[in-house]
Amino acid sequence: MPPKLAVKKIPLFFAVLILAAAFVLVLTLFKEDLFPPPLSLPPGVEISVRWRLEEPGPFHIGDLIPVCLEVEAVDGIDLRLFPLSPADLGGLELVAEETPVTKRRRGGWQRIARYFLSPWRTGTYRLAPKEIRYRNPSGVEATVTAEPLEINVASLLPANLSADEQAALTLKEDKGPVGLPPNYRLLALALAAAIFGLFLYLLFRRFFRKPGAKDHLEPETAPPAEPPHLIARRRLAALKEAGLLENGLFKPYYSELSACLREYLANRFALPALEMTTAEILNSVPQRTGLLTPEQYSALTQILNMSDLVKFAKHRPTAEAAFACFLLVEKFIEETKEEPSIEQNPEDASAASS
C-alpha cells in the first residue's frame, strides 16, 4: 500500500471511532426512550398498582424506609395519584416524598411515586390497601387496588428477653469526656507573627535607625590611612624590578608609570584621575589653586603627554628618555607629598618621611 494512501486512512479511522463512541453514549443515555422495555401486565389486564420496598431491611426505630407505589397501564389509561393520608400509612410517619416519575414502556407507561417513611416503635406496620380510580380508553371509570404491605421494625436489644430482663440491662461504662486533638493553628499563627515582627524590626534597623556611636570610629581611634606617597613608592619599586624597560617593553612600562601617577593624584588630591583623560586632569589642576607650582605642573604635563604618545600613538622613546620620565615621576611625588602634621606620632612622622 502506498504511504500516501495509508496517511489518508488515519483520519477516517479516528472519525469512525468518534462516531462509534458518540453512538454508544447516546444509546446509553436514551436507551429506555429509544428501546423501552415491555409492560409486565398479564394478558387482558389494563392497569396494575402495587406497593414495593426498595430496601430489604431490617429496619429499626428512626430509620428512613423507602417505599414506592408503582402503577403500570396501557396507552389511553387516565388516572391521578392522590397524596397519602395517615390512614394509608398504618402508624408510620411520612418524612418526605418525591415527584412521581413516568417512564415509557412498550405498549403503555409506568409511573413511580417514592415515599420515605419512619417508624417510632418496634413491631409490624401495615400499609393500607391503596385504591386508585382511573378511566380506560373507552371512557369507562373503574378502580384498582394495591395490596397491603407489611413492614417489620426490629429492636436493637437482644431477642427473647422479658421486660424485666430488658430493664436489667446496664448501659456501657461512661468513658468520660473525649479530649480534642491538639490545635496547632494558634501556635503557628503566633510563630508567624513573631517572625514577621522580627523581619519588620530588622528592616527598620537597616533603613530607618539613626547611626550609633559604633557605626563611626572617632578620628583618634580610626586606623591611620597609608600615605599616598608610600603607596606610589612601592608601586614604582615594583615597576623598576619588573625589568620592562630593560626588555624594551615601553608600552606596558609607560602604562604602569602613568597609572601609578594617576593613583597618586587620586589619593593625594582627591582627584578622580583614574577615570579622567589627560586633558581633563590638566584642566582640573589649575582650578585647584595652591596645589602645584608651575614647575610641578609642567612636569605633570610632560609625563602624561609622553605616556599617551607611547600608549596610543605607537611612539617609541629611547631607554634614556624612559628612565628620565621615571625619575621625573619620583621627583614629582617627593615634591608634592603630604608633610606629616606636628601632632602626629614621632614614630609615624619618621616612617612617613623615610
Side-chain angles (χ1 to χ4, degrees), residues 14-30 34:
F14 283 109
V16 172
L17 187 62
I18 293 173
L19 288 177
F23 176 76
V24 172
L25 180 61
V26 171
L27 186 63
T28 303
L29 295 177
F30 303 100
L34 298 175

Side-chain angles (χ1 to χ4, degrees), residues 301-319:
T301 303
Q302 180 181 351
I303 297 168
L304 294 177
N305 287 334
M306 180 58 68
S307 298
D308 288 347
L309 287 176
V310 176
K311 290 189 297 181
F312 306 114
K314 298 182 180 181
H315 175 69
R316 187 175 179 85
T318 61

Side-chain angles (χ1 to χ4, degrees), residues 48-54 65-72 79-85 88-89 97-102 109-117 127-133 144-149:
S48 70
V49 58
R50 68 186 182 99
W51 292 107
R52 179 173 62 85
L53 272 174
E54 288 194 328
I65 304 175
V67 178
C68 291
L69 183 64
E70 291 185 354
V71 180
E72 276 192 321
L79 63 82
R80 179 182 178 186
L81 292 178
F82 290 94
L84 296 180
S85 64
D88 297 327
L89 301 178
E97 61 179 305
E98 296 180 355
T99 303
V101 178
T102 302
W109 49 267
Q110 180 189 58
R111 186 171 300 168
I112 300 175
R114 181 176 287 105
Y115 307 95
F116 294 93
L117 311 177
L127 297 181
K130 181 67 175 177
E131 187 178 272
I132 298 176
R133 300 183 61 85
V144 62
T145 303
E147 295 296 328
L149 177 67

Side-chain angles (χ1 to χ4, degrees), residues 117 122 192 196 203 220 238 258 268 273 285 303 306 320 325:
L117 311 177
T122 59
F196 184 70
L203 189 66
E220 60 271 16
S258 173
R268 174 65 178 86
V285 171
I303 297 168
M306 180 58 68
E320 292 76 10
C325 195

Side-chain angles (χ1 to χ4, degrees), residues 236 240 303 325-335:
L236 288 176
K240 193 172 185 180
I303 297 168
C325 195
F326 181 90
L327 297 177
L328 197 59
V329 172
E330 276 189 331
K331 181 180 178 182
F332 178 86
I333 292 173
E334 292 300 323
E335 291 180 353

